[in-house]
Amino acid sequence: EALAKPDGGRLICLTGQERFLIDRAVDLIKEAMLQPATRDFNYDQLQAKESGVARIVACARTLPMMAPRRLVLVRDVGALSASDLAGLVDYVQAPAPETCLVLLAEDADLRTKFYLTFQKHGLLLKLTPLPEKQLPGFVESEAKRMKIGLEPGAANAIADEIGSDLAQLVDALERLSCYVAVGAKVRVADVEEVVATTRQHSVF
């Protein structure tokens, strides 16, 4: 929704330990911001520590070529010191309207001046591992996205077998879709047959 606004998507920070959700969000941002024909001209991917603040800002202030927007993705922002991040505050307060600057920071102290300022001017999402009770719902939503039918109980069975690794949950759905007949729904018995148990169960 933020990306759909005329002035939206200028500043995005994705933080947290859930790599699958962060990668999914990055893919959606790329799809929204970049045009296939001009993607190579308008997409920069930087490592925060190696590039430094000056280069990050310079890339963000570069005008797009033959497209309305450009995307600058900066990984490992958590490696920057507080003084480094302070050098980004001026840009955050007045971002280039043609650029979507995306910062990835697995570990971020959201109480610091930089992140408090960022939240005033941009979109900050904390993507953490899903609680166990939400895993069946995630399986059901992914199955719907992949056009895979699930019989009652199948989503819970998949979540019980795999656990909280979201990438493995999606992989299990892909394997099950190849196993069942075309148009058939995945049954609990199919899960038991196809999905190898990857979670350690206590003998107690």
Side-chain angles (χ1 to χ4, degrees):
E1 292 178 0
L3 298 181
K5 297 177 182 178
D7 62 344
R10 294 181 186 176
L11 296 167
I12 301 173
C13 180
L14 305 176
T15 182
Q17 302 295 323
E18 186 45 76
R19 173 58 58 185
F20 178 88
L21 293 179
I22 289 175
D23 289 344
R24 174 69 62 82
V26 168
D27 288 341
L28 292 173
I29 292 167
K30 288 179 181 177
E31 184 179 335
M33 290 294 167
L34 297 173
Q35 298 177 355
T38 58
R39 175 189 173 114
D40 291 344
F41 302 112
N42 296 306
Y43 176 47
D44 288 306
Q45 183 173 197
L46 308 173
Q47 288 290 332
K49 197 68 175 177
E50 294 175 10
S51 299
V53 170
R55 188 182 174 201
I56 293 170
V57 172
C59 286
R61 293 209 180 278
T62 300
L63 292 173
M65 185 179 295
M66 299 180 292
R69 303 295 296 273
R70 61 183 271 100
L71 173 62
V72 178
L73 177 70
V74 185
R75 296 187 178 276
D76 201 19
V77 173
L80 294 177
S81 66
S83 60
D84 289 332
L85 290 172
L88 277 173
V89 169
D90 286 346
Y91 179 84
V92 167
Q93 291 175 331
E98 304 86 0
T99 297
C100 175
L101 176 63
V102 179
L103 308 181
L104 305 184
E106 286 190 9
D107 299 305
D109 186 349
L110 304 184
R111 301 166 297 177
T112 60
K113 178 182 177 181
F114 172 77
Y115 289 106
L116 291 174
T117 302
F118 196 100
Q119 290 180 73
K120 291 180 181 178
H121 297 275
L123 174 66
L124 191 149
L125 295 176
K126 188 169 185 180
L127 301 173
T128 56
L130 294 181
E132 194 164 306
K133 64 182 180 180
Q134 292 183 14
L135 295 177
F138 172 81
V139 172
E140 290 173 354
S141 65
E142 285 298 299
K144 185 177 180 180
R145 181 184 66 83
M146 299 164 70
K147 296 181 172 55
I148 300 171
L150 298 177
E151 287 196 351
N156 290 78
I158 295 169
D160 287 343
E161 288 291 337
I162 300 296
S164 60
D165 189 322
L166 302 187
Q168 289 295 323
L169 289 171
V170 173
D171 178 71
L173 283 171
E174 290 174 346
R175 285 186 282 137
L176 285 162
S177 70
C178 295
Y179 177 77
V180 300
V182 176
K185 291 185 176 182
V186 173
R187 305 166 302 162
V188 173
D190 297 324
V191 177
E192 295 172 349
E193 181 70 26
V194 174
V195 182
T197 303
T198 57
R199 175 188 246 180
Q200 287 188 343
H201 295 279
S202 171
V203 295
F204 301 104

